[in-house]
Each structure stands twice: as structure tokens, then as C-alpha cells.
């Protein structure tokens, strides 16, 4: 499940000013997102065609900012290519694609990217880096996360995320040390912000849909009442467990670091005390005090483990938990309903 | 020692030389001996010095001052070392000469300002230091140097060559240049020299030269050896002209001369011996040993023997010739009927010198030597058996021996037991050093019978005459030759197959005692009588091995347990440890044959888990890099190797281990599929499974391991038929199972075990899909009879491995379905992991508090903000954990509801307890969160 940072065209950076000027740069540039039905369908189709199992598909979102909402009007998938396909130039492909779309009079402004996910596992370093570079270059850009498994169960799951300004700052400074994160007061809850999504179709399409609705037979909605959910829950638990293991490891690392640090602190203190005592003794004897030595050189602080990964893991765990909670609460309702029905029928 | 042979092309010459050597040795008296020792020590020192001087001179030539300095320092040290000799002999001339030369040379260099400038820094520095040093040093030798310089100035021509000589200083002055430079010197030596040369070239004529060479030899006795390095002013002419020949010939000559010299000296002193004339220089030695007229009696022979033996162990002694000599002596004493005492004494010494033949411990005896040795020992035994009035023993003092024929019984010093033990060791060594796959090995192995025969005879002999310790030792030897052999006769007899198609010889053989009986008798004797721990340990181990080999599992096991060897074997020496390892392996294999799979696995676990079975059993060295083992260690390890015919088949061993691991591990794995803390029974087996899984393409199994892996896979599915076909088939039969004596029994046992364990695995794996299952079906499926199935299932139920009950009237197993589902299992695992997480987290918190707590109290205002941020940064885990637990709680309750609604059953007790744990944890977390924020 590896998704490399999605390459971003560098020329996009030049658009930063113009885009930023469209809305107030102080507040969040986008308060909501309006997605064309076409984009949703295209994303779903892309996954259906190329994604299997835990594999991830990615693509580019195109659109424009209108006041405080971001309208995503089109998208194109990013082709999957193998490692040995060295000649493939990603940037070239994007440019070509956007130029072609411009020719047919489609919005060609880069406003973000989308990615599919496997059981809600998308909070990762790669996503963070990728989104950071996007948001750094194009302030309004978002990442759309599409969960095909949930969608297959009957409820479309599409979510838009942006990095919070705090996280942007940290990423800019690249200071992931414990102190840095502490100063920034960042927790896993405020790393990503979700932007509400509105799906909007043109009137013509709406008309067509209504038309079709009448013509079509009643769609099967049995998925909604499906009770056999253990598979999903198991998978989620499995992933959750893996994350918990990772987290445990990270904490262990942090723990040793803390211990080493405190041990050193103690040593330093002792050393200073001794030095002080010696100096006072010397003073009483009328000798000059010992020369100051560079303490930081003598006690090199241990390498602090980067904490960003832990944060991300925590975020991911949080994500899983939410998923499971959502799922179980839904199921509980269903179960009670089923029980009632059973009781009623018997 | 000077008496070293140099290559002489003519064989006869060599033989002759050897003879000379002997005479020399034989006839030398003590005085001569001591003198020689002094000489050799002096030679050594002088050689060292001259070598150093040589390098100094070379360095001088190339103006390498640094080297010069270094060597000079070494020289000084070497000189100091040989101080004692110097005190006795005076400072050697060549040393003084070097000192003088060096000083002159240095002074010369020092004055040469131009040259000094050109020198590099290192050299210049070395030059100044060296100059100072030598100045100081030479003060001690002032007089000598002065006298040397005086001499030099008097006869400069004699030394020009030496100081300017291009050749090595070792040889000093090259003979040629000397000869050229000193033609005036004593011309009368010249003809002699040529004669001498002739003598060297043609040994036949040597005897004629004797008279003459005697002449000059006697007057140059001292010079020949003592002053050879002193080739300076004091060097005698003899040496000077000796230098004429190339070094090889020179030494050859010198040595020869020495021999002759010694010859004559001896003659002069002893007088009694007739002088050896080279007129008929035959290979035969006898006439030389005793003069024609000498009356050969035991005293003379003993004296002779001592003489021969005195040469033993000395550097120049030709060991082969010594053996010959002893044989000849034995012949003489036999001819003259000197009695058995003498003969035995000589025999003892012959055997000892046969053993001595190889100076190196690692080298093994040549076949002919070995044969000779065996014969000798046999003869010795014959004599001992024939004459019961001979006492031998190592504690009989040399002077209390009674070798002459008299009324008293013979008393001879010597220990036959040691000889036989040594012979046994030699035999092992021969076997170790023979290629085990060659015909030679088989041929050598045939000697084992003889070795055993000798040991048997010795055993009989010692049983009547020897002390208890000796008997113990010989018993152990006997045991060592018995324990690893499978007694087929006894085996056949026990099967009642005797006399079916056996030849007469076989019949005859089977008359003998069972090896088990022998082992029992010998070992018990050792247990009772032995006082050294080692022999008893070895005997016990061999006994166990023998028991195990013959499938007497309980005896073997009891003996092993009673001896408590497992506790203290690590203190034993490596050969005993190897024996212990062999015994354990044999025990394990025995347990396997008896169907005690668990015992077999336990016995083999230690050996197999290390992956060094080969090394641990002493059946070969593993390839390792040289850091871990240097050449010396390798040699030692090689000596410990067990001969090939005693090897335990490693493939059999591994197969037995893997199969028993499979029979244990597969049901265990099936039973503990979801157990987070499941431990492997056998790492090795898991490793093999993983290797098997990694294979990209799975063909039909080829090797033994692949077979076992394939069988394991089949067993995992409860498919015993496939498993059976993988474990027992043509390939496996030929590779492994046919190596057992009772092949058929083992195979039957294996099939039964496979059936049973497959049944267990099947029940573990698939019990969740059954509501109830008829035992009859099971018994059909696994081709086991009903009572067996019944007992297996009952056992599983009693051990709480299977949540089920037996319904007697219908003969069915009713499943209770209380095993947690996989989801529940996973939730349990997660809960466990979370517990760890919380614990870890608390540890972090403790640490933080310990360090920073005081700080927060002191600076409340600023601290608060920081604290909050710090909590956010550092304690995100905590809130996540609590959230997680809550989620799980929800998830769990939904599952509860699920099970409620579907099966209308109460959730199992353990689920409830898990919920409780969760609740407690949740509370703790919430409490912590509240407290922190």
C-alpha cells in the first residue's frame, strides 16, 4: 500500500499569488467543496478499472475557486506505471493532459488530487508530504479520499481533507522533534481538517436522472441491511492492531530516548555540581577557578526520535476507530431491528 | 645438533651414513655428550649473531642507516643473551670486527658532509644516533678492537676480502677469494683436500681414506666445530679449506668427519669394540653391534639396549633405523636364548619406538608400521600368555628389573596396557585419516577385528594379573569397541529367526556372548570399581548408547536420568561431550522408534536447534572463518572427530527430529491458532516450513526435508493419507526408514501416529463447522478403531482442548461452540496489545513527571501553557487509547448483540471478563486524561 508523493507540476507554484488573492489569505481559503457528479463517477470508474484489493489509485483534480468554495469540475487519473518504465515523464504527462483539456474548454486549473483508500488507511507520511507540497504551491488544494469498500456496501464515501495551518507551519520548518511538536501544540486531532463536500450536478443531468429513475426498476438496496459484517470488522481490527503495534514500538523508542536524556541530565547536573564545589574550594585556597568547558560538547544529547510518524499513526488509529465506531453503531441498529423483526414474525 | 643428514644421492651412502651415525651414537660417552650440547647452544647463538651481522653489512652497503640502527640494537640484545657463552669462549672475533668496521664506516659517513646532506631525514637521524651508540658501546670492547685493528694493520691482505666481501658474512670470506689470496698458506693441505673431495664424491673409497683423514681429523677436531664461525685471524686452516666446498658438501663432510672422529674416540676409550671397517659396508647391522668375540649375555644386551634408547628422542636420530636396530637386537637375544625377560623388554621398546616414529601428533602410522605394531603386540601377548612367571608393570623400577634367566620370575618394566591403548588411539587416527569412501577404509577397518582381539586378550591377561584400575581401563577400551555396534545376532535371536539361512560361521559366531551381556558385565564392573570419574562417565554413556541402539528405551532413559549426567556434562572434556551428544541422539532415535515422540523431540532438540549437529557429534568440521578458529584449533578439532564407521546418519537424525516436531507442532498450531502468545515448539521445524513456503514453484518433494514439509501441509488439513504418503514412500524408505533395524515396526508406529495426530488436528481446525460429529465417521475417516478415537477425543475434552461433550448412546461428539470466533479472538489480541500500549505510555509519563514535575510546580504560570502543549504533543497516545477502548467496547457489544440475536445464547464467560478488563482500562484512561488536563 505505497503511494508515492504525487508529482506536482512546478509551474503551478506561480499560480499561488493569483489564487490566494481570490479569497482572503488569512482565513481558510475553502470552506466547502462542490464536486461535479462527473468527477465522482470518474473517480469510481478509475478505481473499478485499475485498483484491486489494497492497491491505490491516484489522480489530479481540476477546478476553480469561487469565493470561499472550491469547485471541482473535472479530474483525470494518473496512469499506473511500473518501475522499469523509466522513460515515462509524469510531469510531462500532466502538462500534456491539462493542455489537451484546455483545448476542449474544460477547467484546467490544478486544485488538488484524489486517492483511493483501503479500509480507511490513508493517513501516512507519503500523503502528508504530498499534500503539503500541493498546499504549499496551491493554497486551496485538497485531497479527496475515496473509500471503495464502503461505497460498495451502499454508501458513497468520499471525503476531502486539508492540512491545518499549524501542520503546514511545522511541515515548512521540518521540525519533527518532540520539542518542536510540543511548541506547536499539535495533536493528531488537528492535523487534518475535513472540508464538507457538496455534490452538484447540472440541471440537465438532474432531469435525466429523474427521467431514468422513473424508467428503472426498483434498485436492490439489500446491502444496507446486510448483517454479515464480521469480515469487515475483522479486517479493520487487523489493521488497527498493526498500527497499535507500530505505535507501541514508537513509544518504546521514545521511552528509551527520554530515559537516556534524563540520565544524561543527571550526569550533567552532577558534573556541574562537582565543578562548582571544586571552584569554591579553589577560591578559598586562592587559586584561580577551573576554566569553563563546553558542557554541550561533553554531553551530547541523544538523537531525538522524530515524532511525526507517531502522530500520523495516532491519526490513523483514530481514523480506524472512527470507522469501526461508525460501522458498529450502524450494525447495532440493524441488529436491534433484526431482533425486533424476528420477535415479531415468530 | 650437528648430526644432521644432508641429501646424498647414493642410497648406499646414506645407509652407510646412518650406520656411522649409530656407531657414533652408540659409542659416545657422557663427556662427549655434554660437550656437544655446549657446542650446539653456542652454534645457535653464533648463528643468530652472524645473521644479524650479515644484515647490518648489507644495510651498510646500501647506506640504509635506519635499518642499520635497528639491526644493531638487535645485535646488542642478542649479544647480551649469549653473554654466558661469551664469558666462556671470549668475544668472538667476527663480532669485534663488525664493531670496528661499523664505527669506521660511520665516522667516514659522518665526515662526508655532502653525502650527509643528501641523506633523507630518517637516515640522517639514525646515523647520528647510531654513531653515538656505537661510540658508547665500543668503549666496552676497546682492547679487543684495538688488538683487532693492530692485527688488521699487520696483515691487511688477510682481511681485505673480509671487510670488502660481497658475499654473506655468514660464510665470511668466500672460499675462492680466500684461496686466491692465500696461496702461500700451507700448501700441504691441498692434496688432502683433493683427497677429501674425492672421498665425498665416492663414498666407497672412503674407508681407504680413513687413515689419512684420521690424521687431519684429529688435529682439527676442535676447529671443525668450534671455530667454524671464528674464521677471522684465529681460524684454523682446516676450516679455511673446508670453505672451499659449497656449503652442502661442506657440512656433509664435516659431519662425516665428526662421525669418524667420534668413532675413533670411542674406540680409544672403549677399546673393547673392534673398529668398524668399511670393507663390507652392508645394510646388515648386526656385526656392528657386537664384536665377533664378545660373549653375548643379557648384561651386554641390556647395555646395548640402553645405548640405543639413549638416542631416542634426540634430534638427529633416525627413528626408522632405530626400530631396525631394536629388531636386530631382539633377533640376537632370541638367537642366544637370553630369555623372555630381555625379549619382552626389547619388544616393549620396539613398540614404543614405533609409536615414536611420527613426531607429529596429528600424523598417523603408515600401514606397514601399523602392521608391524600389531604383530609386535601380538607376539608380546603370546609371550606373556606363554610365560606366566613374568611380571610387568610400570611401577617396577629400572634397577629392580630381573631380566636374566634365573629362579626368580622375570620382572620387566613396562606397561602393556598403555601400549595397547596407544595402539587403539593409533587405529582411530588411521581411521580418521582415511577417506571413508575408499576401499582403503574398508581394508583398514578389517584390522578392527585384530584390535579387538588384542584388547580381548589383554583383558583376559589383566583380569588375572592386573590391578582394578587397569582392568577398568581395559574394560573401557573393550566397551568403546562394542557400544556402537548393533548386535544383529542377538537381534535375530530375539526375533526367533536363528538358523534359517545362516552359514556355519555365523552359527559359530552367534555362540558368543550377547553384546548386551558383555556391556552389562563390563559396565557394572566399572561402576563398582572405578575411581576415576571419567572412565565411569564414558562407561555410562556407552551403556546408554548401547541400550538405546538396541531399543531398550526404558533402561537407557533410566540410566541417563539416574546418572545425572545432564547436569554436569558441560564440565567434561570435549571427547566425552561428543560421546554424550552421540548418546543423546541415539536416545532420541530410540525413543522415536518406540513411539515416544515427545521424548524423541526433547532429546534431539538441543542438538538440532543449534544447527551444528555435525560438529557436535564430531562427524565433521563446519566451514567457519578463520577468526573463530585458527589452524591450531582446527587441528585439535580434527583429532576429536569420530571415525566414519561410528557415525550416526545425520539425515536420519534430522528426519526423526523433523517428523517428531511435525507430529507435535501441527496439532499444537491448530489448537492455538489465535493465541497471541503462542510459542513454537520447534524453531527448526518452523524454519523448514517457512523455507517451504518461500518456494515460488512447488514441485513434488525431492529431499527429505521437502517431504516432511509437504507432509506437514497435508496434516494441517487433517489429510492423513497424503501425509502418510509423503512420509512413507520409496524415497523416504531408502533415505531414512530402511536405516532402522526394525523398519516395519517403525513404519507401522509412524502411520498410527500420523493418523492420531491428524485426527486431533482435524478436530481442532474444523470443530467450529460441526454441531456434532459421529465418532464412527471419524474412525472411518482416519482408519482408527472406535476405542482409539474415543480415547483421543476424551483426552482432548479432559485437557480442555476441545469444547465438546460425548454423547454415549449415539456415539457422537457434540460441539459446544464456546471457542471464541476469530473476531473475538482478534479483539482479545487487540486488548492485550492495548494493555501493553497503556503500560508503555504510563512509563513515559512516569519518566516525564520525574524529571519535569518539580519544574512545573516552581513556574506555574509559564508551565501551564507548556504543560498543555506538552500533553498535546506527548500524550496523544493516551486519548487515542481511551478512544480505542471505547470503540472496542462498542464493537464488542455489537458482537454481543450479534451473538445474542443469532444463537440466543449468553456470551461466553471469558468475553465478559474481557469486557470487564476493558472497562477498567477505559476508566483508568479516562481518569488519567482528566487528571492530566
Amino acid at each position: 500500500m505505497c503511494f508515492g508523493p504525487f508529482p506536482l507540476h512546478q509551474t503551478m507554484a506561480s499560480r499561488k499569488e493569483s489564487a490566494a488573492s481570490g479569497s482572503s489569505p488569512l482565513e481558510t481559503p475553502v470552506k466547502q467543496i462542490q464536486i461535479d457528479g462527473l468527477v465522482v463517477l470518474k473517480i469510481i470508474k478509475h478505481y473499478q478499472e485499475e485498483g484491486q484489493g489494497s492497491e491505490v489509485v491516484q489522480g489530479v483534480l481540476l477546478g476553480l475557486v469561487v469565493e470561499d468554495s472550491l469547485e471541482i469540475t473535472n479530474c483525470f487519473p494518473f496512469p499506473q506505471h511500473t518501475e522499469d518504465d523509466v522513460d515515462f515523464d509524469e510531469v510531462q504527462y500532466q502538462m500534456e493532459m491539462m493542455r489537451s483539456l484546455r483545448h476542449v474548454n474544460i477547467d484546467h486549473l490544478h486544485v488538488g488530487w484524489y486517492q483511493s483508500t483501503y479500509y480507511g488507511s490513508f493517513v501516512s507520511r507519503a500523503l502528508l508530504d504530498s499534500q503539503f507540497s500541493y498546499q504549499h504551491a496551491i493554497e486551496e488544494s485538497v485531497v479527496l479520499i475515496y473509500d471503495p469498500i464502503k461505497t460498495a456496501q451502499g454508501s458513497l464515501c468520499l471525503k476531502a481533507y486539508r492540512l491545518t495551518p499549524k501542520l503546514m507551519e511545522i511541515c515548512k520548518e521540518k521540525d519533527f522533534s518532540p520539542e518542536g511538536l510540543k511548541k506547536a501544540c499539535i495533536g493528531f486531532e488537528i492535523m487534518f481538517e475535513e472540508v464538507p463536500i457538496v455534490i452538484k450536478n447540472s440541471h440537465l443531468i438532474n432531469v435525466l436522472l429523474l427521467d431514468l429513475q422513473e424508467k428503472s426498476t426498483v434498485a436492490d438496496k439489500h446491502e444496507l441491511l446486510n448483517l454479515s459484517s464480521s469480515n469487515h470488522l475483522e479486517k479493520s481490527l487487523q489493521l488497527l492492531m498493526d498500527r497499535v503495534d507500530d505505535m507501541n514500538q514508537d513509544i518504546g523508542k521514545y521511552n528509551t530516548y527520554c530515559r537516556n536524556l534524563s540520565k544524561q541530565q543527571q550526569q550533567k547536573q552532577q558534573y556541574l555540581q562537582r565543578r562548582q564545589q571544586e571552584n569554591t574550594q579553589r577560591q578559598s585556597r586562592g587559586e584561580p577557578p577551573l576554566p569553563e568547558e563546553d558542557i554541550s560538547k561533553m554531553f551530547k544529547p541523544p538523537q531525538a526520535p522524530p515524532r511525526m510518524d507517531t502522530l500520523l499513526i495516532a491519526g490513523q488509529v483514530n481514523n480506524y476507530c472512527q470507522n469501526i465506531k461508525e460501522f458498529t453503531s450502524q450494525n447495532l441498529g440493524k441488529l436491534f431491528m433484526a431482533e425486533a423483526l424476528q420477535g415479531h414474525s415468530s | 645438533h650437528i648430526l644432521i643428514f644432508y641429501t646424498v644421492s647414493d642410497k648406499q651412502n646414506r645407509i652407510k651414513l646412518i650406520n656411522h651415525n649409530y656407531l657414533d651414537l652408540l659409542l659416545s660417552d657422557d663427556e662427549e655428550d655434554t660437550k656437544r650440547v655446549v657446542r650446539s647452544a653456542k652454534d645457535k647463538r653464533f648463528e643468530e649473531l652472524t645473521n644479524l651481522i650479515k644484515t647490518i653489512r648489507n644495510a651498510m652497503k646500501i647506506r640504509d642507516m635506519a635499518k642499520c640502527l635497528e639491526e644493531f640494537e638487535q645485535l646488542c640484545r642478542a649479544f647480551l643473551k649469549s653473554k654466558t657463552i661469551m664469558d666462556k669462549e671470549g668475544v668472538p672475533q667476527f663480532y669485534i670486527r663488525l664493531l670496528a668496521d661499523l664505527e669506521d664506516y660511520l665516522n667516514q659517513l659522518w665526515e662526508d658532509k655532502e653525502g650527509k646532506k643528501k641523506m633523507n631525514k630518517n637516515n640522517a637521524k639514525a646515523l647520528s644516533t647510531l654513531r653515538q651508540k656505537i661510540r658508547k658501546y665500543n668503549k666496552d670492547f676497546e682492547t679487543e678492537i684495538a688488538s683487532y685493528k693492530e692485527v688488521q694493520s699487520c696483515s691487511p691482505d688477510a682481511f681485505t676480502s673480509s671487510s670488502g666481501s660481497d658475499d654473506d658474512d655468514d660464510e665470511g670470506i668466500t672460499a675462492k677469494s680466500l684461496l686466491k689470496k692465500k696461496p702461500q698458506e700451507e700448501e700441504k693441505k691441498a692434496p688432502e683436500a683433493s683427497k677429501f673431495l674425492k672421498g665425498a664424491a665416492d663414498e666407497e673409497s672412503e674407508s681407504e681414506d680413513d687413515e689419512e683423514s684420521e690424521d687431519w681429523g684429529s688435529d682439527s677436531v676442535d676447529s671443525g666445530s668450534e671455530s667454524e664461525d671464528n674464521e677471522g685471524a684465529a681460524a684454523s686452516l682446516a676450516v679455511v679449506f673446508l670453505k672451499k666446498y659449497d656449503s652442502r658438501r661442506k657440512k656433509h663432510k664435516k659431519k662425516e668427519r665428526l662421525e669418524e672422529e667420534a668413532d675413533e674416540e670411542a674406540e680409544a676409550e672403549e677399546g673393547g669394540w673392534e673398529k668398524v671397517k668399511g670393507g663390507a659396508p652392508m645394510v646388515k647391522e648386526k656385526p656392528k653391534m657386537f664384536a665377533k668375540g664378545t660373549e653375548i649375555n643379557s648384561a651386554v644386551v641390556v647395555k646395548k639396549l640402553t645405548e640405543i634408547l639413549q638416542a631416542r628422542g634426540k634430534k638427529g636420530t633416525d627413528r626408522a633405523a632405530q626400530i631396525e636396530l631394536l629388531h636386530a637386537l631382539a633377533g640376537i637375544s632370541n638367537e642366544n636364548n637370553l630369555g623372555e625377560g630381555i625379549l619382552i623388554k626389547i619388544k616393549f621398546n620396539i613398540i614404543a619406538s614405533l609409536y615414536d616414529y611420527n613426531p607429529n601428533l596429528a600424523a598417523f602410522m603408515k600401514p606397514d608400521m601399523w602392521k608391524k605394531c600389531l604383530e609386535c603386540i601380538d607376539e608380546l601377548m603370546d609371550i606373556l600368555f606363554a610365560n606366566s612367571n613374568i611380571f610387568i608393570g610400570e611401577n617396577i623400577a629400572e634397577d629392580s628389573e630381573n631380566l636374566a634367566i634365573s629362579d626368580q620370575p622375570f620382572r620387566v618394566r613396562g606397561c602393556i596396557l598403555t601400549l595397547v591403548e596407544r595402539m587403539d588411539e593409533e587405529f582411530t587416527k588411521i581411521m580418521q585419516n582415511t577417506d571413508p569412501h575408499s576401499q582403503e577404509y574398508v581394508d583398514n577397518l578389517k584390522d578392527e577385528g585384530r584390535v579387538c582381539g588384542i584388547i580381548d586378550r589383554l583383558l583376559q591377561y589383566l583380569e588375572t594379573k592386573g590391578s582394578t584400575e587397569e582392568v577398568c581401563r581395559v574394560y573401557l577400551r573393550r566397551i568403546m569397541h562394542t557400544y556402537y555396534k548393533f548386535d544383529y545376532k542377538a537381534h535375530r535371536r530375539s526375533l526367533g529367526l536363528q538358523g534359517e539361512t545362516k552359514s556355519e560361521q555365523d552359527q559359530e559366531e552367534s555362540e558368543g556372548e550377547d553384546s548386551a551381556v558383555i556391556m552389562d558385565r563390563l559396565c557394572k564392573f566399572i561402576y563398582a570399581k572405578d575411581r576415576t570419574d571419567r572412565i565411569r562417565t564414558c562407561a555410562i554413556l556407552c551403556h546408554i548408547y548401547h541400550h538405546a541402539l538396541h531399543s531398550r528405551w526404558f533402561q537407557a532413559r533410566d540410566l541417563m536420568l539416574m546418572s545425572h549426567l545432564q547436569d554436569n556434562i558441560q564440565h567434561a572434556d570435549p571427547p566425552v561431550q561428543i560421546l554424550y551428544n552421540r548418546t543423546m541422539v541415539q536416545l532420541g532415535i530410540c525413543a522415536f522408534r518406540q513411539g515416544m515422540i515427545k521424548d524423541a523431540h526433547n532429546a534431539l532438540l538441543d542438538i538440532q536447534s543449534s544447527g551444528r549437529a555435525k560438529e557436535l557429534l564430531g562427524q565433521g568440521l563446519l566451514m567457519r572463518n578463520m577468526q573463530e578458529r585458527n589452524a591450531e584449533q582446527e587441528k585439535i578439532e580434527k583429532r576429536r572427530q569420530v571415525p566414519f564407521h561410528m557415525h550416526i546418519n545425520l539425515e536420519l537424525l534430522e528426519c526423526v527430529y523433523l517428523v517428531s516436531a511435525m507430529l507435535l507442532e501441527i496439532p499444537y498450531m491448530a489448537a492455538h491458532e489465535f493465541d497471541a502468545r503462542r510459542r513454537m515448539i520447534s524453531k527448526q521445524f518452523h524454519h523448514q516450513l517457512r523455507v517451504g513456503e518461500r518456494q515460488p514453484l512447488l514441485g513434488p518433494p525431492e529431499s527429505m526435508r521437502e517431504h516432511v514439509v509437504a507432509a506437514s501441509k497435508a496434516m494441517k488439513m487433517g489429510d492423513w493419507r497424503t501425509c502418510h504418503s509423503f512420509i512413507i514412500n520409496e524415497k523416504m524408505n531408502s533415505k531414512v526408514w530402511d536405516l532402522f533395524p526394525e523398519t516395519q515396526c517403525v513404519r507401522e508406529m509412524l502411520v498410527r501416529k500420523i493418523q492420531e495426530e491428524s485426527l486431533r488436528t482435524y478436530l481442532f481446525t474444523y470443530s467450529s463447522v460441526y454441531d456434532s460429529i459421529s465418532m464412527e465417521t471419524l474412525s472411518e475417516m482416519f482408519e482408527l478403531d472406535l476405542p482409539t478415537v474415543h480415547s483421543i477425543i476424551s483426552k482432548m475434552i479432559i485437557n480442555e482442548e476441545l469444547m465438546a461433550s460425548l454423547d454415549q448412546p449415539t456415539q457422537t461428539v457434540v460441539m459446544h461452540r464456546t471457542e471464541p470466533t476469530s473476531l473475538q479472538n482478534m479483539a482479545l489480541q487487540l486488548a492485550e496489545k492495548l494493555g501493553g500500549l497503556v503500560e508503555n505510555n504510563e512509563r513515559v509519563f512516569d519518566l516525564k513527571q520525574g524529571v519535569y514535575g518539580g519544574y512545573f510546580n516552581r513556574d506555574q504560570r509559564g508551565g501551564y501553557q507548556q504543560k498543555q502543549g506538552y500533553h498535546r504533543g506527548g500524550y496523544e497516545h493516551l486519548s487515542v487509547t481511551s478512544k480505542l477502548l471505547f470503540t472496542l467496547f462498542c464493537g464488542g457489544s455489537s458482537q454481543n448483540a450479534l451473538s445474542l440475536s443469532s444463537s440466543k445464547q449468553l456470551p461466553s464467560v471469558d468475553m465478559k471478563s474481557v469486557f470487564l478488563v476493558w472497562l477498567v482500562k477505559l476508566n483508568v484512561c479516562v481518569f488519567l486524561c482528566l487528571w492530566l488536563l
Side-chain angles (χ1 to χ4, degrees), chain B residues 19 73 80 124 370 380 430 460 547 579 594 755 763 820:
Chain B
N19 296 347
E73 275 164 1
L80 267 181
W370 170 243
L380 190 60
I430 289 172
Q460 283 167 25
H547 276 318
L579 182 61
Q594 302 294 305
Q755 284 168 338
L763 283 176

Side-chain angles (χ1 to χ4, degrees), chain A residues 234 241 245 248 254 258-259, chain B residues 822 826 833 840 847-848:
Chain A
E234 249 173 63
M241 242 186 296
D245 275 347
N248 225 341
Y254 186 65
C258 285
R259 220 172 312 136
Chain B
S822 66
M826 223 175 305
K833 279 181 179 166
N840 244 339
L847 211 68
K848 285 269 167 186

